[in-house]
Amino acid sequence: MSPVLFIALMITLPAAGFPISVFLVMSGIKFGIPFAVLLWLLVLPVHAMLGYYLSGKLRKTIKRISEKRGYHVPSVPEHSTAIFSFLFYAIPGLPYALKNYLLPLAGVPFSYCVFMNSIVQAPQGIPFIILGNSVIELDPRMFFIALIMFTMLYIGLRWLKKKYWNTIHGS
């Protein structure tokens, strides 16, 4: 597959719900770690911008349908936008693409959606890239580095969830 087609698919398919992890592993295989990480850092804000734009187009429709069924689209209080956005992206549970749509639907400003997505999701994607590269290079050291990074992320994100669950659950 050509690099241009791969990059185009990496930008568009996750916006439609395709797992980003597949592209991260494949980019580690196809491009190597430095270029794959650079690509990941460039694609992150594009995904956040796409999610924000598409959510904006659908917000009124979703709000109207929700209210007809007795629900309301939640909103994030202005004084807790930063911490809520950070924790929303950091704590595992929802798929990557869904996070890019739900935060803007809750009325979080564009800058928070793009910035928080980029800084929080970036480190979470790097182990996948390293894992992909370890496969193509047949390098067990890189494989173990990826496993250590996954473990550290898992422990750190579980700690965040435990520490702040009431904060985000109550908002």
Side-chain angles (χ1 to χ4, degrees):
M1 176 184 304
S2 80
V4 173
L5 178 59
F6 181 87
I7 292 168
L9 292 174
M10 186 175 180
I11 290 170
T12 56
L13 289 181
F18 192 83
I20 190 65
S21 57
V22 172
F23 283 102
L24 294 172
V25 170
M26 294 305 295
S27 68
I29 291 170
K30 187 164 187 66
F31 301 118
I33 295 171
F35 186 74
V37 169
L38 177 63
L39 177 61
W40 174 229
L41 295 176
L42 294 173
V43 165
L44 272 166
V46 173
H47 286 161
M49 287 185 255
L50 279 171
Y52 192 88
Y53 173 76
L54 293 172
S55 292
K57 293 289 185 189
L58 299 172
R59 183 170 172 72
K60 289 180 185 176
T61 304
I62 291 171
K63 188 174 181 176
R64 188 179 67 248
I65 291 169
S66 296
E67 288 172 355
K68 280 184 181 178
R69 295 185 178 179
Y71 300 105
H72 72 288
V73 175
S75 61
V76 177
E78 195 172 316
H79 68 278
S80 60
T81 302
I83 188 68
F84 185 89
S85 301
F86 176 83
L87 293 171
F88 184 78
Y89 282 121
I91 294 175
L94 297 175
Y96 170 76
L98 193 55
K99 288 182 178 188
N100 286 335
Y101 291 114
L102 290 179
L103 207 55
L105 280 174
V108 172
F110 177 81
S111 59
Y112 282 101
C113 292
V114 174
F115 180 71
M116 289 297 183
N117 180 56
S118 297
I119 66 165
V120 175
Q121 295 289 344
Q124 294 181 36
I126 292 172
F128 289 99
I129 293 168
I130 294 171
L131 185 64
N133 186 259
S134 74
V135 169
I136 199 69
E137 298 288 330
L138 297 173
D139 186 348
R141 292 173 299 163
M142 296 305 286
F143 176 77
F144 287 115
I145 288 171
L147 284 180
I148 290 167
M149 290 176 78
F150 280 126
T151 303
M152 290 171 46
L153 280 168
Y154 177 79
I155 291 168
L157 295 174
R158 294 289 294 177
W159 176 81
L160 271 176
K161 183 176 181 180
K162 185 177 180 181
K163 182 169 175 69
Y164 292 104
W165 179 254
N166 290 333
T167 302
I168 62 166
H169 196 269
S171 293

